[in-house]
Amino acid sequence: MPYDILIIGGSYAGLSAALQLGRARRRVLVIDAGQRRNRFAHASHGFLGQDGVAPADIIATARTQLARYATVEIREAAAIAAARTEDGGFRVETTAGPVSGARLILASGVTDTLPEVPGLAERWGKHVFHCPYCHGYELNQGPIGVLATGPMSLHHAQMLPDWGPTTLFLNGAFEPDADQLADLERRGVTVERTPVAGFFGKAADIHLADGRTVPLAGVFTLAPTRITGPLAAELGVAIEDGPLGQFVKVDELQQTSVPGVFACGDVSRMMASVALAVASGAMAGVAAHRSLLFPT
């Protein structure tokens, strides 16, 4: 029997949507490939009531709570294709077999493309981060590095002195103009033009091409992103370009340009956090349910 709602992605947004729909007693299938974006971090911050809790623990608690709702099912699989069916619903091909449903919620997230700097990938989510609000406080006002990946890194560097003394490592990514340099100086930011050799040895320390080592409490960098999985492209939903990558265009109800397809979480917005993902997931779940009650 087809499901009422298929949810692609079982992280914070997808499970939040499933909770609303389970409480509406709708038959829901969450298809989860298990690749949460923040799986590299020791703790999640900024989500009220769960501040400082390990990401895996937040998900485990959410799954335990969802297990109370008999109409919600979670399936460990990856979604590999999707298409609209003749009856107006959707068929999704997964690594565990095909499934179908009347509505579809895309909560598959985005994938970070990390700078190709030796040692960075191993430190991602532990000593190298993207969000000051998520990880800046725990650096205890120690020295902070910003590893530039492009002009947007200027904004990063301008923000971060609120969390600690900041050095902007340009690494050949861009060159600030005179006004930008003046603003960085006003904010107390040190500008380092020597290329970065990599991260070696202790924690977040950056090693430079001239042999110097800059000791740091943590490093922030902006990683370009891409939409995870092929479903958004296959369904033909409208896509918007953000400063770091594309995301699915939605309205205030998380409805995409394709009727019956909703999107939530990082795949549907420029700004990313657990709190924002949960909020958008709740809205997507409610809106998908209402679309079943009041079809247009």
Side-chain angles (χ1 to χ4, degrees), residues 78-110:
I80 54 180
R84 187 179 286 279
T85 56
E86 291 184 0
D87 62 1
F90 300 91
R91 177 184 171 92
V92 175
E93 301 291 337
T94 81
T95 52
V99 293
S100 59
R103 298 290 186 271
L104 185 61
I105 296 177
L106 300 177
S108 52
V110 296

PDB file of all heavy atoms in Angstrom, residues 78-110:
ATOM      1  N   ALA A  78      19.271   4.516   0.545  1.00  0.00           N
ATOM      2  CA  ALA A  78      19.526   5.755  -0.190  1.00  0.00           C
ATOM      3  C   ALA A  78      18.517   5.864  -1.322  1.00  0.00           C
ATOM      4  O   ALA A  78      18.215   4.870  -1.995  1.00  0.00           O
ATOM      5  CB  ALA A  78      20.943   5.770  -0.751  1.00  0.00           C
ATOM      6  N   ALA A  79      17.984   7.059  -1.515  1.00  0.00           N
ATOM      7  CA  ALA A  79      17.068   7.311  -2.626  1.00  0.00           C
ATOM      8  C   ALA A  79      17.887   7.619  -3.869  1.00  0.00           C
ATOM      9  O   ALA A  79      18.757   8.497  -3.852  1.00  0.00           O
ATOM     10  CB  ALA A  79      16.139   8.466  -2.292  1.00  0.00           C
ATOM     11  N   ILE A  80      17.626   6.913  -4.955  1.00  0.00           N
ATOM     12  CA  ILE A  80      18.466   7.049  -6.146  1.00  0.00           C
ATOM     13  C   ILE A  80      17.728   7.584  -7.364  1.00  0.00           C
ATOM     14  O   ILE A  80      18.356   7.978  -8.349  1.00  0.00           O
ATOM     15  CB  ILE A  80      19.146   5.703  -6.496  1.00  0.00           C
ATOM     16  CG1 ILE A  80      18.106   4.591  -6.629  1.00  0.00           C
ATOM     17  CG2 ILE A  80      20.164   5.338  -5.410  1.00  0.00           C
ATOM     18  CD1 ILE A  80      18.708   3.239  -6.979  1.00  0.00           C
ATOM     19  N   ALA A  81      16.400   7.615  -7.328  1.00  0.00           N
ATOM     20  CA  ALA A  81      15.623   8.155  -8.447  1.00  0.00           C
ATOM     21  C   ALA A  81      14.210   8.441  -7.970  1.00  0.00           C
ATOM     22  O   ALA A  81      13.718   7.821  -7.020  1.00  0.00           O
ATOM     23  CB  ALA A  81      15.592   7.178  -9.619  1.00  0.00           C
ATOM     24  N   ALA A  82      13.537   9.386  -8.644  1.00  0.00           N
ATOM     25  CA  ALA A  82      12.166   9.731  -8.286  1.00  0.00           C
ATOM     26  C   ALA A  82      11.430  10.232  -9.519  1.00  0.00           C
ATOM     27  O   ALA A  82      12.016  10.847 -10.409  1.00  0.00           O
ATOM     28  CB  ALA A  82      12.131  10.793  -7.195  1.00  0.00           C
ATOM     29  N   ALA A  83      10.123   9.947  -9.564  1.00  0.00           N
ATOM     30  CA  ALA A  83       9.297  10.406 -10.673  1.00  0.00           C
ATOM     31  C   ALA A  83       7.850  10.481 -10.211  1.00  0.00           C
ATOM     32  O   ALA A  83       7.437   9.787  -9.279  1.00  0.00           O
ATOM     33  CB  ALA A  83       9.425   9.461 -11.864  1.00  0.00           C
ATOM     34  N   ARG A  84       7.079  11.332 -10.881  1.00  0.00           N
ATOM     35  CA  ARG A  84       5.645  11.415 -10.593  1.00  0.00           C
ATOM     36  C   ARG A  84       4.922  10.240 -11.239  1.00  0.00           C
ATOM     37  O   ARG A  84       5.290   9.803 -12.340  1.00  0.00           O
ATOM     38  CB  ARG A  84       5.066  12.737 -11.109  1.00  0.00           C
ATOM     39  CG  ARG A  84       3.622  12.964 -10.687  1.00  0.00           C
ATOM     40  CD  ARG A  84       3.099  14.298 -11.211  1.00  0.00           C
ATOM     41  NE  ARG A  84       3.646  15.423 -10.497  1.00  0.00           N
ATOM     42  CZ  ARG A  84       3.223  15.869  -9.319  1.00  0.00           C
ATOM     43  NH1 ARG A  84       2.239  15.228  -8.696  1.00  0.00           N
ATOM     44  NH2 ARG A  84       3.758  16.916  -8.757  1.00  0.00           N
ATOM     45  N   THR A  85       3.915   9.727 -10.567  1.00  0.00           N
ATOM     46  CA  THR A  85       3.132   8.602 -11.079  1.00  0.00           C
ATOM     47  C   THR A  85       1.862   9.108 -11.755  1.00  0.00           C
ATOM     48  O   THR A  85       1.493  10.284 -11.636  1.00  0.00           O
ATOM     49  CB  THR A  85       2.769   7.637  -9.940  1.00  0.00           C
ATOM     50  OG1 THR A  85       2.076   8.366  -8.913  1.00  0.00           O
ATOM     51  CG2 THR A  85       4.024   7.011  -9.348  1.00  0.00           C
ATOM     52  N   GLU A  86       1.167   8.229 -12.448  1.00  0.00           N
ATOM     53  CA  GLU A  86      -0.026   8.619 -13.196  1.00  0.00           C
ATOM     54  C   GLU A  86      -1.139   9.137 -12.289  1.00  0.00           C
ATOM     55  O   GLU A  86      -1.953   9.968 -12.706  1.00  0.00           O
ATOM     56  CB  GLU A  86      -0.536   7.426 -14.012  1.00  0.00           C
ATOM     57  CG  GLU A  86       0.384   7.044 -15.170  1.00  0.00           C
ATOM     58  CD  GLU A  86      -0.202   5.915 -16.003  1.00  0.00           C
ATOM     59  OE1 GLU A  86      -1.317   5.442 -15.673  1.00  0.00           O
ATOM     60  OE2 GLU A  86       0.452   5.515 -16.980  1.00  0.00           O
ATOM     61  N   ASP A  87      -1.188   8.663 -11.042  1.00  0.00           N
ATOM     62  CA  ASP A  87      -2.237   9.104 -10.121  1.00  0.00           C
ATOM     63  C   ASP A  87      -1.887  10.397  -9.395  1.00  0.00           C
ATOM     64  O   ASP A  87      -2.607  10.835  -8.493  1.00  0.00           O
ATOM     65  CB  ASP A  87      -2.558   8.006  -9.111  1.00  0.00           C
ATOM     66  CG  ASP A  87      -1.358   7.647  -8.223  1.00  0.00           C
ATOM     67  OD1 ASP A  87      -0.282   8.260  -8.385  1.00  0.00           O
ATOM     68  OD2 ASP A  87      -1.503   6.755  -7.365  1.00  0.00           O
ATOM     69  N   GLY A  88      -0.755  11.027  -9.776  1.00  0.00           N
ATOM     70  CA  GLY A  88      -0.358  12.295  -9.168  1.00  0.00           C
ATOM     71  C   GLY A  88       0.556  12.170  -7.981  1.00  0.00           C
ATOM     72  O   GLY A  88       1.000  13.182  -7.425  1.00  0.00           O
ATOM     73  N   GLY A  89       0.852  10.936  -7.572  1.00  0.00           N
ATOM     74  CA  GLY A  89       1.784  10.719  -6.475  1.00  0.00           C
ATOM     75  C   GLY A  89       3.218  10.599  -6.966  1.00  0.00           C
ATOM     76  O   GLY A  89       3.555  11.090  -8.056  1.00  0.00           O
ATOM     77  N   PHE A  90       4.046   9.919  -6.184  1.00  0.00           N
ATOM     78  CA  PHE A  90       5.468   9.834  -6.518  1.00  0.00           C
ATOM     79  C   PHE A  90       5.985   8.421  -6.261  1.00  0.00           C
ATOM     80  O   PHE A  90       5.568   7.752  -5.308  1.00  0.00           O
ATOM     81  CB  PHE A  90       6.267  10.840  -5.683  1.00  0.00           C
ATOM     82  CG  PHE A  90       5.842  12.254  -5.914  1.00  0.00           C
ATOM     83  CD1 PHE A  90       4.852  12.822  -5.130  1.00  0.00           C
ATOM     84  CD2 PHE A  90       6.399  13.000  -6.933  1.00  0.00           C
ATOM     85  CE1 PHE A  90       4.420  14.116  -5.354  1.00  0.00           C
ATOM     86  CE2 PHE A  90       5.982  14.300  -7.163  1.00  0.00           C
ATOM     87  CZ  PHE A  90       4.986  14.862  -6.379  1.00  0.00           C
ATOM     88  N   ARG A  91       6.876   7.993  -7.113  1.00  0.00           N
ATOM     89  CA  ARG A  91       7.563   6.714  -6.958  1.00  0.00           C
ATOM     90  C   ARG A  91       9.046   7.012  -6.773  1.00  0.00           C
ATOM     91  O   ARG A  91       9.636   7.760  -7.562  1.00  0.00           O
ATOM     92  CB  ARG A  91       7.349   5.830  -8.184  1.00  0.00           C
ATOM     93  CG  ARG A  91       8.100   4.484  -8.140  1.00  0.00           C
ATOM     94  CD  ARG A  91       7.895   3.740  -9.452  1.00  0.00           C
ATOM     95  NE  ARG A  91       8.741   2.553  -9.562  1.00  0.00           N
ATOM     96  CZ  ARG A  91       8.368   1.339  -9.191  1.00  0.00           C
ATOM     97  NH1 ARG A  91       7.152   1.153  -8.677  1.00  0.00           N
ATOM     98  NH2 ARG A  91       9.185   0.310  -9.341  1.00  0.00           N
ATOM     99  N   VAL A  92       9.612   6.448  -5.747  1.00  0.00           N
ATOM    100  CA  VAL A  92      11.033   6.661  -5.455  1.00  0.00           C
ATOM    101  C   VAL A  92      11.751   5.316  -5.487  1.00  0.00           C
ATOM    102  O   VAL A  92      11.323   4.352  -4.833  1.00  0.00           O
ATOM    103  CB  VAL A  92      11.215   7.322  -4.069  1.00  0.00           C
ATOM    104  CG1 VAL A  92      12.701   7.430  -3.724  1.00  0.00           C
ATOM    105  CG2 VAL A  92      10.567   8.707  -4.053  1.00  0.00           C
ATOM    106  N   GLU A  93      12.805   5.263  -6.256  1.00  0.00           N
ATOM    107  CA  GLU A  93      13.657   4.077  -6.284  1.00  0.00           C
ATOM    108  C   GLU A  93      14.717   4.235  -5.195  1.00  0.00           C
ATOM    109  O   GLU A  93      15.377   5.281  -5.105  1.00  0.00           O
ATOM    110  CB  GLU A  93      14.339   3.932  -7.647  1.00  0.00           C
ATOM    111  CG  GLU A  93      13.385   3.809  -8.827  1.00  0.00           C
ATOM    112  CD  GLU A  93      12.633   2.495  -8.820  1.00  0.00           C
ATOM    113  OE1 GLU A  93      13.122   1.518  -8.207  1.00  0.00           O
ATOM    114  OE2 GLU A  93      11.546   2.450  -9.432  1.00  0.00           O
ATOM    115  N   THR A  94      14.850   3.221  -4.372  1.00  0.00           N
ATOM    116  CA  THR A  94      15.845   3.253  -3.314  1.00  0.00           C
ATOM    117  C   THR A  94      16.738   2.025  -3.408  1.00  0.00           C
ATOM    118  O   THR A  94      16.424   1.069  -4.122  1.00  0.00           O
ATOM    119  CB  THR A  94      15.192   3.286  -1.909  1.00  0.00           C
ATOM    120  OG1 THR A  94      14.812   1.968  -1.527  1.00  0.00           O
ATOM    121  CG2 THR A  94      13.978   4.200  -1.888  1.00  0.00           C
ATOM    122  N   THR A  95      17.810   2.052  -2.658  1.00  0.00           N
ATOM    123  CA  THR A  95      18.703   0.897  -2.632  1.00  0.00           C
ATOM    124  C   THR A  95      18.075  -0.309  -1.949  1.00  0.00           C
ATOM    125  O   THR A  95      18.617  -1.411  -1.993  1.00  0.00           O
ATOM    126  CB  THR A  95      20.020   1.261  -1.922  1.00  0.00           C
ATOM    127  OG1 THR A  95      19.714   1.851  -0.642  1.00  0.00           O
ATOM    128  CG2 THR A  95      20.824   2.249  -2.748  1.00  0.00           C
ATOM    129  N   ALA A  96      16.908  -0.094  -1.309  1.00  0.00           N
ATOM    130  CA  ALA A  96      16.175  -1.195  -0.677  1.00  0.00           C
ATOM    131  C   ALA A  96      14.913  -1.554  -1.456  1.00  0.00           C
ATOM    132  O   ALA A  96      14.078  -2.307  -0.974  1.00  0.00           O
ATOM    133  CB  ALA A  96      15.817  -0.838   0.761  1.00  0.00           C
ATOM    134  N   GLY A  97      14.755  -0.981  -2.655  1.00  0.00           N
ATOM    135  CA  GLY A  97      13.592  -1.262  -3.470  1.00  0.00           C
ATOM    136  C   GLY A  97      12.721  -0.038  -3.677  1.00  0.00           C
ATOM    137  O   GLY A  97      12.898   0.989  -3.019  1.00  0.00           O
ATOM    138  N   PRO A  98      11.736  -0.121  -4.584  1.00  0.00           N
ATOM    139  CA  PRO A  98      10.882   1.027  -4.895  1.00  0.00           C
ATOM    140  C   PRO A  98       9.793   1.235  -3.842  1.00  0.00           C
ATOM    141  O   PRO A  98       9.313   0.282  -3.226  1.00  0.00           O
ATOM    142  CB  PRO A  98      10.266   0.639  -6.244  1.00  0.00           C
ATOM    143  CG  PRO A  98      10.227  -0.861  -6.207  1.00  0.00           C
ATOM    144  CD  PRO A  98      11.452  -1.288  -5.446  1.00  0.00           C
ATOM    145  N   VAL A  99       9.409   2.495  -3.658  1.00  0.00           N
ATOM    146  CA  VAL A  99       8.307   2.858  -2.767  1.00  0.00           C
ATOM    147  C   VAL A  99       7.507   3.960  -3.438  1.00  0.00           C
ATOM    148  O   VAL A  99       7.998   4.648  -4.336  1.00  0.00           O
ATOM    149  CB  VAL A  99       8.804   3.339  -1.389  1.00  0.00           C
ATOM    150  CG1 VAL A  99       9.446   2.204  -0.620  1.00  0.00           C
ATOM    151  CG2 VAL A  99       9.789   4.497  -1.544  1.00  0.00           C
ATOM    152  N   SER A 100       6.263   4.145  -2.998  1.00  0.00           N
ATOM    153  CA  SER A 100       5.441   5.201  -3.575  1.00  0.00           C
ATOM    154  C   SER A 100       4.646   5.903  -2.490  1.00  0.00           C
ATOM    155  O   SER A 100       4.370   5.344  -1.426  1.00  0.00           O
ATOM    156  CB  SER A 100       4.486   4.626  -4.632  1.00  0.00           C
ATOM    157  OG  SER A 100       3.645   3.643  -4.061  1.00  0.00           O
ATOM    158  N   GLY A 101       4.287   7.152  -2.764  1.00  0.00           N
ATOM    159  CA  GLY A 101       3.542   7.946  -1.799  1.00  0.00           C
ATOM    160  C   GLY A 101       2.818   9.083  -2.476  1.00  0.00           C
ATOM    161  O   GLY A 101       3.141   9.466  -3.607  1.00  0.00           O
ATOM    162  N   ALA A 102       1.839   9.650  -1.777  1.00  0.00           N
ATOM    163  CA  ALA A 102       1.042  10.735  -2.338  1.00  0.00           C
ATOM    164  C   ALA A 102       1.787  12.067  -2.335  1.00  0.00           C
ATOM    165  O   ALA A 102       1.557  12.916  -3.194  1.00  0.00           O
ATOM    166  CB  ALA A 102      -0.268  10.867  -1.564  1.00  0.00           C
ATOM    167  N   ARG A 103       2.661  12.272  -1.351  1.00  0.00           N
ATOM    168  CA  ARG A 103       3.440  13.497  -1.248  1.00  0.00           C
ATOM    169  C   ARG A 103       4.898  13.145  -0.986  1.00  0.00           C
ATOM    170  O   ARG A 103       5.222  12.044  -0.485  1.00  0.00           O
ATOM    171  CB  ARG A 103       2.923  14.395  -0.111  1.00  0.00           C
ATOM    172  CG  ARG A 103       1.489  14.869  -0.296  1.00  0.00           C
ATOM    173  CD  ARG A 103       1.371  15.881  -1.421  1.00  0.00           C
ATOM    174  NE  ARG A 103       0.023  16.428  -1.494  1.00  0.00           N
ATOM    175  CZ  ARG A 103      -0.970  15.893  -2.206  1.00  0.00           C
ATOM    176  NH1 ARG A 103      -0.761  14.774  -2.902  1.00  0.00           N
ATOM    177  NH2 ARG A 103      -2.162  16.473  -2.224  1.00  0.00           N
ATOM    178  N   LEU A 104       5.778  14.101  -1.276  1.00  0.00           N
ATOM    179  CA  LEU A 104       7.216  13.868  -1.144  1.00  0.00           C
ATOM    180  C   LEU A 104       7.855  15.062  -0.446  1.00  0.00           C
ATOM    181  O   LEU A 104       7.586  16.215  -0.813  1.00  0.00           O
ATOM    182  CB  LEU A 104       7.837  13.681  -2.537  1.00  0.00           C
ATOM    183  CG  LEU A 104       9.307  13.303  -2.646  1.00  0.00           C
ATOM    184  CD1 LEU A 104       9.579  11.973  -1.964  1.00  0.00           C
ATOM    185  CD2 LEU A 104       9.717  13.232  -4.111  1.00  0.00           C
ATOM    186  N   ILE A 105       8.660  14.786   0.574  1.00  0.00           N
ATOM    187  CA  ILE A 105       9.408  15.839   1.266  1.00  0.00           C
ATOM    188  C   ILE A 105      10.899  15.576   1.065  1.00  0.00           C
ATOM    189  O   ILE A 105      11.417  14.509   1.436  1.00  0.00           O
ATOM    190  CB  ILE A 105       9.084  15.876   2.765  1.00  0.00           C
ATOM    191  CG1 ILE A 105       7.611  16.227   2.993  1.00  0.00           C
ATOM    192  CG2 ILE A 105       9.988  16.898   3.482  1.00  0.00           C
ATOM    193  CD1 ILE A 105       7.188  16.220   4.456  1.00  0.00           C
ATOM    194  N   LEU A 106      11.585  16.533   0.478  1.00  0.00           N
ATOM    195  CA  LEU A 106      13.032  16.433   0.282  1.00  0.00           C
ATOM    196  C   LEU A 106      13.736  17.026   1.503  1.00  0.00           C
ATOM    197  O   LEU A 106      13.614  18.215   1.780  1.00  0.00           O
ATOM    198  CB  LEU A 106      13.454  17.186  -0.978  1.00  0.00           C
ATOM    199  CG  LEU A 106      12.849  16.719  -2.302  1.00  0.00           C
ATOM    200  CD1 LEU A 106      13.303  17.614  -3.450  1.00  0.00           C
ATOM    201  CD2 LEU A 106      13.224  15.268  -2.580  1.00  0.00           C
ATOM    202  N   ALA A 107      14.438  16.167   2.242  1.00  0.00           N
ATOM    203  CA  ALA A 107      15.200  16.610   3.413  1.00  0.00           C
ATOM    204  C   ALA A 107      16.584  15.980   3.360  1.00  0.00           C
ATOM    205  O   ALA A 107      17.148  15.593   4.379  1.00  0.00           O
ATOM    206  CB  ALA A 107      14.469  16.224   4.693  1.00  0.00           C
ATOM    207  N   SER A 108      17.112  15.891   2.147  1.00  0.00           N
ATOM    208  CA  SER A 108      18.367  15.162   1.909  1.00  0.00           C
ATOM    209  C   SER A 108      19.615  15.968   2.221  1.00  0.00           C
ATOM    210  O   SER A 108      20.719  15.422   2.236  1.00  0.00           O
ATOM    211  CB  SER A 108      18.415  14.684   0.455  1.00  0.00           C
ATOM    212  OG  SER A 108      18.173  15.768  -0.432  1.00  0.00           O
ATOM    213  N   GLY A 109      19.465  17.276   2.446  1.00  0.00           N
ATOM    214  CA  GLY A 109      20.607  18.093   2.840  1.00  0.00           C
ATOM    215  C   GLY A 109      21.535  18.447   1.699  1.00  0.00           C
ATOM    216  O   GLY A 109      21.222  18.249   0.515  1.00  0.00           O
ATOM    217  N   VAL A 110      22.690  18.968   2.075  1.00  0.00           N
ATOM    218  CA  VAL A 110      23.731  19.330   1.116  1.00  0.00           C
ATOM    219  C   VAL A 110      25.045  18.688   1.544  1.00  0.00           C
ATOM    220  O   VAL A 110      25.206  18.271   2.693  1.00  0.00           O
ATOM    221  CB  VAL A 110      23.901  20.865   1.004  1.00  0.00           C
ATOM    222  CG1 VAL A 110      22.639  21.511   0.464  1.00  0.00           C
ATOM    223  CG2 VAL A 110      24.286  21.478   2.346  1.00  0.00           C
TER     224      VAL A 110
END
